[in-house]
Amino acid sequence: MGRKILELLFDDRGYVTALTLIAMPMLLGFSLLVIDVSRGNNLHTDLQNAVDGLALAGARELNGAPDAITRADAAIADLVKNEARFSNGGPITMDKTQVSIAYLKIIPPSDDTAIDAAWIRTNGTTDSTAAAYVLVRSTPRAMTSLFPLPVGLTNPTLNFQAEAVATYTAAACDVTPMFICNPFEAQGLSMQQAYAQGLTYSRELQVLKTDSTPGPGNFGLLDTDIPLKDAFAKGASGQCYTKKSVVTKTGVTFGQVNVGLNVRFDIYAGSLGSAKGDPLYRPATNVRKGAKNTTGSAGCGKVDSDVPSKAMGFGPGTYPTPSLGISTNGSWDRAGYWSLNHVSTPFPAALQNASRYDVYRYEIDHNLVADRAGNKGSGENGVPRCYTGAPETLTDKPDRRTIFAAVVDCGDFADDTKHTTISGKTTLKPDAFVSMFLTNPIEKQDNSKEDDTTASEKPIRLEIVDVTGQGGSGTLDQFLREEAQLVR
């Protein structure tokens, strides 16, 4: 008997089976735990992907326009209709049971600070012009856990939630380092609204440089690392300007701006007199400007004010009323311009109410650039005669008589109780970017004094062509980099 007991004690047959039976609940539980972790990770990933997509869709509309939040809500709703789904649920609805949306002016500087209800109450907004961020947060989604089953416990549920914060960014690259004051600010209109309502069409805008008291008839300069005359002549500042902020430039002289812009009219003055053969300083393909059609290099470095012809409706030295700011209406002497600048082509009926830019483009598109002026004119045509570069380098893409500028509500900075004045290096938040047609060259008394800080100034005469954002025609898309990006 004793021997049998000893044999039984030392018999290890079936030992592994016994241990397996003992360990089976733990092994099964661990396996289910791994499955639960994987299921939870997949659910959270799907939740995060869903709110990321919704946040990006909404942020793409936050361009500061008065209807930005309305459009953002619509964009999110459209994405929902396209069945953006959570992994274990149906289509997301906008009834606030599956997702919540909040618009914020600012977000915490650190990700360690939660965007809780208190933060949203303080920094949330319903003002479309102030909404800079959109927060999309899913409501908790329950997942039934499998892990407790092997030990006989009741299945608990685990809640998963995701949130995303996105913002809109836009930058204008290779544009003229210039901002203008919104001429419609006093009317309570943004530039996009004024453009959409047709208030900019065919109206001439005349702007002067200002340092600290900007108004509708003023412009300012943006910080750039290259000389101003080169930035204005080439149309590229060598950097991008974002819609969130731009920095002004100080110490400008009028001559550098004038000399740079006049290159686009085939006028090479001052230190740019040697740039006649450089394609980066090429003129527009149509430079009709009301100048004497002299031979050789005479007149290539100046604007001759003693001309019987007209450039774009107003002769050199004369200005519409008001003398500064935007003209009161879009009327100008289209027929008079045409009769003085074209010999044999009758005035087209399609141009009866056309803007200056439309007339200019009509001349290009209908091969009328070389058509010389009539007997009352100077014999001028629109073909560049001072530029010595290769003819194939002349192109109207992009159009060299179109410049680009940021638009700022300068009146905000005139009230020192709200802002500082625009003086020195000031950070501005543009409301939009605009393209503007140069209607005439800038008159300048002495082109040799481009760096003279005492030189008198003549207005830059422009006509607004297009504006970025809602209401614009889309021609600025190639110069504007717009994107929505996740910041949380």
Side-chain angles (χ1 to χ4, degrees), residues 458-469:
K458 295 291 186 180
I460 302 176
R461 300 165 65 179
L462 309 156
E463 191 178 76
I464 294 170
V465 176
D466 199 2
V467 61
T468 57

Side-chain angles (χ1 to χ4, degrees), residues 199-210:
L199 300 180
T200 63
Y201 184 74
S202 190
R203 295 177 68 178
E204 187 175 62
L205 179 66
Q206 298 191 31
V207 293
L208 285 170
K209 172 70 176 67
T210 187

Side-chain angles (χ1 to χ4, degrees), residues 51-100:
V51 295
D52 284 352
L54 295 176
L56 289 170
R60 183 62 180 79
E61 306 299 327
L62 299 182
N63 60 358
D67 62 342
I69 288 180
T70 300
R71 288 185 287 103
D73 285 339
I76 293 173
D78 285 342
L79 186 58
V80 170
K81 291 177 183 178
N82 290 330
E83 296 189 351
R85 294 177 179 268
F86 293 151
S87 64
N88 68 336
I92 305 170
T93 62
M94 294 295 289
D95 59 3
K96 304 299 182 183
T97 62
Q98 293 180 320
V99 65
S100 62

